[in-house]
Amino acid sequence: MKPFSLLIKPASADCNLRCEYCFYIDHLEKVKKTPRMSEEVLEKMIASYMQTNQNNNYAFGWQGGEPMMMGLKFFQKAIELQKRYAPTGAVISNGLQTNGTLITENFAKFFGEYKFLLGVSLDGPAYLHDYYRKTIGQKPTHNSVMRGIKHLRQNKVEFNILILVNNENIRKPNDLYYYLRDQDFNYHQYIPCVEVDDENNPKSFSITGEDWGDFLCNIFDQWIKEDINQISIRLFDSILDYLVNGRYNICHMDKNCCQYFVVEYDGSIYPCDFFVREDLLLGNVIEDTWEDVLKSLIYLRFGHEKSKWHNNCDSCPFINLCHGDCQKFRIGSFQNSKILSVLCKGWKKFFTYALPRFKILADKIRSGNGLTSTIQIKSKKIGRNSPCPCGSGKKYKNCCMR
């Protein structure tokens, strides 16, 4: 059996915030009651997953909406069930994506005890973050998020910062990057915001491909100056992982979308977070086996659509780095996948600009010249006449210093 991970939405789209750009909140309209995963569904999901052959590595991702609306007792029960059904020698990982406003001291202690990895949504300093990320009552949330992060740090919980790059913060890449760095947030994940209306027109908070390319180039410039051994940017790490090891660890880079399963609060199973749709319902954890779901023609067809990219992609020098990009960004892709990603121009600009220096970094990693990853060694401030950290052999002032 091909290994897979679970992305679980125990409270479905329910959330204590109403971020204007949220793509998932509309799912609440389809739910007749408050969506909460029952203990029956939770136990069946965990028990059945633990019975599959995952090379003894089982990955649970908890997401929403806001998964912490389930309360602490729910996650304590999940850990209890994981222990009960885990095969001998199993390695279990739990990740949780949260808006950060509900993190209490007790929650943080629990996350620390059981080694949860958290992804905390933060769109930058308060003036950028609070532009879209508001409560149901339209109150700002930046201070609440920072309070939650303080609890995580006090309990030594590992966390990443998730930044949704929208039409506001994309204009301020330097403000955004330096704010995160000044807060000692060393793990960044930049996520492009692209949402369309019923007629496939971009919504006001969406970004363009051109802006995405400019943003990534700016972030790259700041990162490569002196932060390659201090700041981990998931996209950059993934590019290096591909160049060094030939593997993909971000799904949009791969050529097939059969990689994980979404489990909704009622046990319904779907192939992707962005495609929780009735026509893509694969089954239910109560009634169906994972073997059957893996063999589902709907699932296999969905995964294969990724490789049906636009004809222009065949001659693109960067095809191995995106394989036509995420199907979500090929607007209308599941009906006609041969559509260029709306971010295509941005990806091309970024890869053209940055890939030569990524290749130099990859060569250094392969040769064992001290750069083993982008996050293992704290970097020192680099002098103007020091060798440039990109590995070009030039002095810093004549290369990447700007």
Side-chain angles (χ1 to χ4, degrees):
M1 176 184 293
K2 178 183 176 181
F4 61 91
S5 59
L6 298 183
L7 181 61
I8 307 151
K9 295 180 177 287
S12 189
D14 201 6
C15 187
N16 61 318
L17 305 191
R18 285 299 181 270
C19 307
E20 185 179 342
Y21 53 49
C22 180
F23 76 93
Y24 211 72
I25 196 68
D26 291 345
H27 288 273
L28 275 183
E29 299 174 1
K30 306 170 186 177
V31 181
K32 296 180 180 179
K33 60 180 181 179
T34 303
R36 296 291 183 268
M37 181 173 283
S38 68
E39 189 172 316
E40 177 191 12
V41 171
L42 178 67
E43 182 167 4
K44 182 66 175 179
M45 176 187 67
I46 291 175
S48 61
Y49 181 47
M50 292 290 195
Q51 291 168 2
T52 63
N53 180 13
Q54 302 293 318
N55 298 322
N56 242 12
N57 286 275
Y58 299 87
F60 296 84
W62 307 92
Q63 201 189 64
E66 176 49 59
M68 290 181 63
M69 294 190 74
M70 295 298 298
L72 182 55
K73 289 184 178 179
F74 173 84
F75 291 101
Q76 290 171 332
K77 184 64 178 180
I79 293 296
E80 175 190 322
L81 293 169
Q82 289 175 354
K83 290 179 178 179
R84 182 188 307 174
Y85 291 105
T88 302
V91 176
I92 300 170
S93 59
N94 283 285
L96 185 141
Q97 183 172 328
T98 176
N99 61 46
T101 64
L102 300 180
I103 301 172
T104 63
E105 180 69 17
N106 287 338
F107 248 126
K109 285 181 180 178
F110 169 81
F111 292 142
E113 180 180 359
Y114 292 102
K115 308 301 181 186
F116 274 61
L117 172 63
L118 265 63
V120 181
S121 294
L122 184 69
D123 286 351
Y127 85 96
L128 292 174
H129 175 91
D130 289 334
Y131 194 89
Y132 286 120
R133 300 193 67 80
K134 295 182 172 67
T135 67
I136 293 176
Q138 293 300 292
K139 301 295 185 182
T141 62
H142 185 270
N143 288 344
S144 298
V145 178
M146 296 302 288
R147 182 176 61 245
I149 289 174
K150 182 178 179 181
H151 289 314
L152 296 180
R153 283 177 156 165
Q154 289 172 338
N155 289 276
K156 295 181 171 52
V157 180
E158 300 219 5
F159 63 92
N160 302 328
I161 297 297
L162 311 179
I163 308 101
L164 193 67
V165 182
N166 55 70
N167 69 314
E168 286 296 320
N169 59 10
I170 200 168
R171 304 170 187 172
K172 301 288 186 178
N174 292 352
D175 287 10
L176 175 56
Y177 182 83
Y178 284 116
Y179 172 77
L180 297 177
R181 194 179 74 170
D182 290 346
Q183 296 293 323
D184 289 327
F185 296 149
N186 292 334
Y187 300 85
H188 306 181
Q189 182 175 345
Y190 296 96
I191 306 163
C193 179
V194 178
E195 301 295 334
V196 296
D197 60 23
D198 293 338
E199 297 179 352
N200 287 335
N201 296 312
K203 294 186 177 181
S204 61
F205 40 74
S206 293
I207 65 173
T208 66
E210 293 88 342
D211 286 345
W212 177 236
D214 290 339
F215 176 85
L216 289 178
C217 289
N218 271 282
I219 295 295
F220 178 81
D221 282 344
Q222 307 314 316
W223 172 77
I224 204 166
K225 283 181 184 179
E226 54 189 56
D227 293 332
I228 57 174
N229 289 317
Q230 177 177 341
I231 304 294
S232 167
I233 296 175
R234 189 183 182 198
L235 172 63
F236 298 176
D237 290 349
S238 298
I239 292 170
L240 287 170
D241 198 7
Y242 169 71
L243 293 175
V244 174
N245 301 307
R247 64 191 177 202
Y248 301 111
N249 58 36
I250 293 183
C251 56
H252 87 262
M253 292 176 66
D254 213 336
K255 56 186 174 183
N256 190 289
C257 287
C258 292
Q259 300 187 29
Y260 68 93
F261 293 110
V262 173
V263 181
E264 260 285 352
Y265 79 102
D266 60 356
S268 300
I269 305 170
Y270 300 88
C272 175
D273 186 32
F274 296 135
F275 292 90
V276 176
R277 305 187 327 208
E278 289 185 11
D279 59 319
L280 293 175
L281 176 63
L282 306 177
N284 191 287
V285 297
I286 298 295
E287 304 163 354
D288 301 287
T289 68
W290 291 112
E291 288 81 2
D292 290 339
V293 173
L294 282 164
K295 296 175 183 177
S296 166
L297 292 179
I298 296 175
Y299 180 57
L300 296 174
R301 186 171 73 248
F302 173 80
H304 183 61
E305 286 295 314
K306 180 70 159 68
S307 64
K308 296 181 180 179
W309 46 69
H310 191 277
N311 291 338
N312 289 358
C313 298
D314 291 330
S315 58
C316 177
F318 311 118
I319 184 64
N320 288 334
L321 289 165
C322 82
H323 291 102
D325 205 4
C326 175
Q327 292 191 60
K328 177 182 179 179
F329 303 138
R330 305 182 204 170
I331 305 303
S333 64
F334 200 59
Q335 290 75 32
N336 178 16
S337 62
K338 286 186 173 294
I339 296 175
L340 276 176
S341 165
V342 296
L343 300 178
C344 178
K345 289 182 179 179
W347 286 122
K348 282 186 174 181
K349 181 171 187 175
F350 170 62
F351 289 137
T352 299
Y353 182 74
L355 194 58
R357 282 176 284 179
F358 275 122
K359 289 180 177 178
I360 293 172
L361 293 176
D363 287 341
K364 291 190 69 175
I365 294 171
R366 278 192 295 265
S367 65
N369 286 340
L371 182 65
T372 55
S373 79
T374 59
I375 59 176
Q376 286 180 351
I377 307 168
K378 293 290 183 181
S379 66
K380 299 180 180 179
K381 296 295 181 182
I382 299 171
R384 292 169 55 85
N385 293 312
S386 300
C388 187
C390 77
S392 64
K394 300 179 182 178
K395 291 183 178 180
Y396 180 38
K397 67 179 180 180
N398 297 326
C399 190
C400 293
M401 182 176 177
R402 287 174 173 82

